[in-house]
Amino acid sequence: MTFRFESLLKLRKNAENLEQKAMAEMQNHLHSRQNELQKLKSSDVQTRDELQTRLQRSIPGSTLGLYDHYFQSLGIRSSLQEQAIFETDEKVEAKRLELVEAMKKRRVLEILRDREFLRKKHKIFKDEIAFIDEMAAVRWQTKSL
């Protein structure tokens, strides 16, 4: 028994697989951006600890200026990274919605396939019962004669 929309079902499954792949790539991209932000924050904490240690000794003002410039740069890079994470997160959510829609379309066809299979199975069962009933009726008639 073949499903009349089998090629469409395969097409929908392929579309769903492509959506899953695209979403996985987007999630990987999001995780890499989050890791980069974490590295920036870790670098900030480490550098501030280093500055505290150096402040206990005498350091020149130019070095303090360099530290200040570095912290400003880290702040800008962190805010840019947070903005990129926010945008990527929105893209991941949009991709997730597309994937859910692709899954729904595939599932509708699978339900139709299952219903058609059950309908054909039921028809075959009914035909077999009708055949057996007819055979029994013929045997009964031949015995009565």
Side-chain angles (χ1 to χ4, degrees):
M1 290 185 278
T2 59
F3 178 52
R4 60 184 170 171
F5 297 120
E6 192 67 38
S7 59
L8 183 58
L9 179 59
K10 287 180 183 177
L11 183 69
R12 296 268 169 93
K13 283 181 180 180
N14 288 339
E16 181 182 345
N17 289 340
L18 289 174
E19 291 293 335
Q20 285 178 342
K21 183 179 178 184
M23 183 164 172
E25 289 172 358
M26 294 290 290
Q27 285 178 327
N28 287 339
H29 185 67
L30 176 63
H31 290 304
S32 67
R33 288 193 178 269
Q34 289 172 336
N35 288 340
E36 184 64 30
L37 179 62
Q38 191 60 36
K39 287 178 186 176
L40 287 173
K41 289 181 178 182
S42 172
S43 176
D44 183 69
V45 169
Q46 184 180 6
T47 306
R48 287 188 189 278
D49 289 344
E50 179 185 314
L51 178 62
Q52 287 298 324
T53 304
R54 291 187 80 181
L55 281 176
Q56 292 174 356
R57 295 177 268 139
S58 169
I59 60 172
S62 61
T63 305
L64 286 175
L66 290 174
Y67 271 107
D68 184 50
H69 181 68
Y70 178 74
F71 289 132
Q72 287 177 0
S73 171
L74 270 180
I76 291 170
R77 287 172 47 199
S78 292
S79 64
L80 288 174
Q81 197 67 18
E82 287 172 352
Q83 180 63 32
I85 287 171
F86 178 75
E87 291 170 0
T88 305
D89 195 33
E90 287 180 339
K91 289 178 184 177
V92 165
E93 184 61 25
K95 193 54 80 173
R96 187 189 67 78
L97 292 175
E98 290 175 16
L99 176 60
V100 166
E101 190 61 33
M103 290 172 76
K104 284 180 183 178
K105 288 179 180 180
R106 175 193 49 85
R107 186 67 187 131
V108 165
L109 286 175
E110 285 179 343
I111 290 170
L112 284 173
R113 181 189 64 196
D114 294 344
R115 284 183 183 169
E116 185 174 317
F117 175 75
L118 288 174
R119 190 175 15 251
K120 286 180 180 179
K121 186 177 176 182
H122 183 70
K123 184 181 180 328
I124 290 171
F125 183 68
K126 260 180 104 172
D127 290 345
E128 286 178 358
I129 289 176
F131 179 74
I132 291 171
D133 285 347
E134 187 166 332
M135 291 295 290
V138 167
R139 278 190 163 192
W140 187 76
Q141 282 181 346
T142 55
K143 281 186 179 180
S144 344
L145 293 175

